[in-house]
Amino acid sequence: MDIRHLEEFLALSRNLNYTVAAQEAHVARPTLSEHIAELEAELGCLLFAKHDGRLALTPIGKKFVRTAESLVEQVSEIVSEYRSLQGNFLPVRIAATNLPWLESLIHRAKGILASGNPRKIVEVISTAGAASTVGALFDGSNDIVVSGCKSWDAAEAPPMPQGISGFRLQAEPIMLLVTEGNPLFSKSEPCARDLDGSTILLPPDIYDGYMRDGVVDRFREYGADVSLRSLTFGDHFEYFSHGFDKECGVVPTTLVPRFGIDRRRECRAFELVDLKLSTVFYVMYRDEFTEDETARLFVGALRKGASEGV
């Protein structure tokens, strides 16, 4: 059903004169007659009839006036809505990190953006898998990532790679994870030296960060020679389902209850008494991403939300 035919029908229903209605609808009179005939054929009923030589709406035609008015109004609203989206709609790909405060920050940032710029719309697309890395920015698979670095004595923010900008989001204590076959499972107050000779097993998306941040050297300073190893895990559930009888795993404190680790009798998550591990997370994005006005405003909203605390 052509919306123009509906508009022409409404013009004819108001004027009940083909010549006047054609002028109002800006079509030729024969074209108007043809379009009305097509509309009647599509509906399978007559909308107009002649009485005493004068054009009149049929009872069905009178009913269809209300329907046509409603359809024209709906289409007008839809067209207006989508025209307003041009330059104001932004899909943003963000890697799913399973960090609940990130979800809260995104929700808050969308509210901040909407309050100051109601026409701006951001649709967050969550990308599956462990892909919250700087590499995901460079290969274009994500627009915004949350990447962390180990904090030793409140270290300053790491230098950003060329073409990448970001800001501090939140610090997160990191716990070690073992299962009941590991000697550390029953150790009352584990310290760094108790991990001497141990392997810390990491998901691939954080392995490079642990190597970069000197975690092995830090343990060595505390009398423990540890090694880091990475295995491919499909997601966080697969990683936390792995048995850590021989190696140690790592888990941010917020994920302990999220994945039920504190309720699993075969698991133990703990902090070392002498060496506290902590990750400072940063929101990172390509500089070219903020060349778009909506993206720039959304990043500003994220930064404002982070400064207010999550």
Side-chain angles (χ1 to χ4, degrees):
M1 188 173 294
D2 193 321
I3 190 66
R4 293 171 298 178
H5 294 183
L6 296 178
E7 292 171 338
E8 292 167 9
F9 161 78
L10 291 172
L12 186 56
S13 71
R14 288 191 294 270
N15 296 285
L16 297 176
N17 183 294
Y18 274 94
T19 300
V20 176
Q23 292 175 345
E24 181 180 317
H26 304 291
V27 296
R29 187 186 186 287
T31 300
L32 176 60
S33 298
E34 180 182 332
H35 289 172
I36 294 301
E38 290 176 1
L39 185 59
E40 290 178 328
E42 187 174 6
L43 294 172
C45 55
L46 292 176
L47 301 174
F48 296 95
K50 283 193 174 182
H51 294 288
D52 300 326
R54 300 181 64 180
L55 191 66
L57 284 162
T58 65
I60 292 178
K62 292 178 180 179
K63 174 178 175 59
F64 189 65
V65 167
R66 297 191 296 272
T67 301
E69 288 174 340
S70 176
L71 289 172
V72 169
E73 182 179 357
Q74 288 179 41
V75 170
S76 176
E77 290 174 353
I78 291 171
V79 170
S80 177
E81 176 187 356
Y82 279 85
R83 282 180 176 172
S84 70
L85 291 179
Q86 184 65 31
N88 294 310
F89 179 80
L90 178 72
V92 180
R93 293 163 298 176
I94 299 180
T97 65
N98 284 303
L99 298 173
W101 36 261
L102 174 60
E103 298 165 2
S104 298
L105 175 62
I106 292 172
H107 177 77
R108 183 181 302 177
K110 292 177 70 173
I112 293 171
L113 180 64
S115 64
N117 301 271
R119 295 182 60 191
K120 300 291 185 181
I121 298 175
V122 170
E123 179 178 306
V124 174
I125 302 170
S126 179
T127 59
S132 192
T133 63
V134 176
L137 293 177
F138 285 121
D139 66 23
S141 59
N142 281 276
D143 299 307
I144 294 176
V145 301
V146 174
S147 186
C149 69
K150 293 297 155 291
S151 173
W152 311 120
D153 302 323
E156 295 182 359
M160 297 287 174
Q162 186 174 1
I164 302 295
S165 295
F167 55 89
R168 180 183 170 121
L169 179 55
Q170 181 162 319
E172 179 84 9
I174 302 297
M175 306 181 79
L176 294 171
L177 176 64
V178 297
T179 45
E180 54 191 347
N182 193 301
L184 294 172
F185 185 82
S186 57
K187 185 75 174 178
S188 59
E189 293 185 341
C191 61
R193 188 181 295 275
D194 294 322
L195 271 75
D196 187 41
S198 297
T199 297
I200 299 177
L201 188 60
L202 303 166
D205 61 322
I206 65 173
Y207 173 80
D208 289 344
Y210 272 63
M211 294 296 292
R212 175 202 65 209
D213 298 335
V215 172
V216 171
D217 293 336
R218 192 69 173 179
F219 269 93
R220 189 174 291 118
E221 292 175 9
Y222 282 75
D225 186 10
V226 303
S227 60
L228 305 180
R229 188 160 65 94
S230 173
L231 286 181
T232 299
F233 294 98
D235 53 32
H236 292 84
F237 286 98
E238 185 178 347
Y239 176 73
F240 292 126
S241 298
H242 183 79
F244 293 100
D245 289 350
K246 296 181 179 180
E247 307 98 347
C248 295
V250 295
V251 54
T253 53
T254 54
L255 297 193
V256 172
R258 188 173 182 125
F259 285 89
I261 293 171
D262 53 342
R263 299 190 300 275
R264 292 170 54 186
R265 296 177 60 184
E266 79 282 7
C267 291
R268 180 188 179 190
F270 59 91
E271 292 185 274
L272 298 173
V273 296
D274 56 343
L275 176 58
K276 303 298 183 183
L277 294 177
S278 180
T279 299
V280 180
F281 290 98
Y282 294 85
V283 174
M284 305 174 73
Y285 50 88
R286 298 185 310 279
D287 292 339
E288 62 186 56
F289 175 68
T290 53
E291 292 176 1
D292 178 90
E293 181 188 29
T294 305
R296 188 164 56 253
L297 290 170
F298 182 59
V299 168
L302 284 171
R303 188 186 292 270
K304 185 175 188 297
S307 68
E308 294 173 349
V310 296

